[in-house]
Amino acid sequence: MTGEFDAVDVGDSFTTSGRTITEADVVNFAGVSGDFNHLHTNAERMADSGYGERIAHGALVFSVVTGLLWQARDEAEKRHMVAFYGIDRLRFIKPVFLGDTIHVEAEIVDTERRDHPVATGVVRTEVTALNQADEAVFSAEFLTLRR
C-alpha cells in the first residue's frame, strides 16, 4: 500500500502482531496516568472479586491497540498519516488480564475527502482487539487524517 488517501479502499483489512500485557505494563501505566484503581493494582482485593484477579486499564488496552496499529503500518503509510483525528463507538467488551496477549484486526469502512490544509481526507477504520482465545476485548472506529 502506498499510504496515500486515494490508494485506500473501503474493505482493505489487516491484522497486527500480538502483544502480551505484563505486570510492568499495568504498574507503569498506573504511574503515568495516576489511575491506581484497585481493579488494576490490588491483587488481594481482586482475588475475591468477580474477575478473580487484576485487570488491565481500559485506557492501557486502548494505548496498546494504537501502538499495534502503528507498528503494522509500512513506511509509506506512516509518511502519509497526518494525525489521529478521533474515535467513535469505543467499547471495552471483555476484561484484559495480566498475561493476556492481544492483537488487532482492522478494516477500512469509510473514506471522506476533506478540505484541509495538510490532509486529503479522513479514513475510518473499524478496529477490534482480540485476546489469545480470539475473543473480542475492545472495539472502536478510529478516524485518521491522511495526505
Side-chain angles (χ1 to χ4, degrees):
M1 182 179 278
T2 66
E4 296 174 17
F5 176 83
D6 290 327
V8 175
D9 293 315
V10 171
D12 287 350
S13 63
F14 63 95
T15 300
T16 72
S17 61
R19 185 177 186 292
T20 302
I21 305 301
T22 68
E23 167 91 16
D25 293 329
V26 171
V27 169
N28 287 327
F29 193 83
V32 168
S33 67
D35 182 350
F36 292 96
N37 185 308
H38 69 275
L39 294 169
H40 319 301
T41 61
N42 189 328
E44 185 174 319
R45 183 170 174 186
M46 289 305 293
D48 292 330
S49 73
Y51 296 117
E53 61 184 292
R54 291 176 296 154
I55 60 173
H57 303 75
L60 169 60
V61 173
F62 170 82
S63 297
V64 169
V65 166
T66 64
L68 288 170
L69 290 168
W70 182 254
Q71 293 167 23
R73 298 185 190 287
D74 64 27
E75 290 306 312
E77 284 182 281
K78 289 177 180 178
R79 279 193 308 277
H80 288 89
M81 296 297 250
V82 174
F84 184 45
Y85 186 65
I87 189 161
D88 291 335
R89 300 181 336 126
L90 171 65
R91 296 291 180 269
F92 299 103
I93 301 164
K94 292 186 96 163
V96 173
F97 298 97
L98 282 69
D100 280 357
T101 299
I102 62 173
H103 71 277
V104 178
E105 295 180 357
E107 180 180 355
I108 306 299
V109 294
D110 191 32
T111 60
E112 179 186 337
R113 278 195 179 280
R114 291 281 175 94
D115 182 18
H116 188 276
V118 179
T120 302
V122 175
V123 174
R124 181 180 293 270
T125 306
E126 179 68 34
V127 174
T128 304
L130 299 105
N131 64 18
Q132 64 277 1
D134 282 331
E135 300 167 321
V137 297
F138 169 99
S139 68
E141 289 183 351
F142 282 18
L143 290 78
T144 54
L145 287 171
R146 234 184 249 214
R147 289 188 206 351

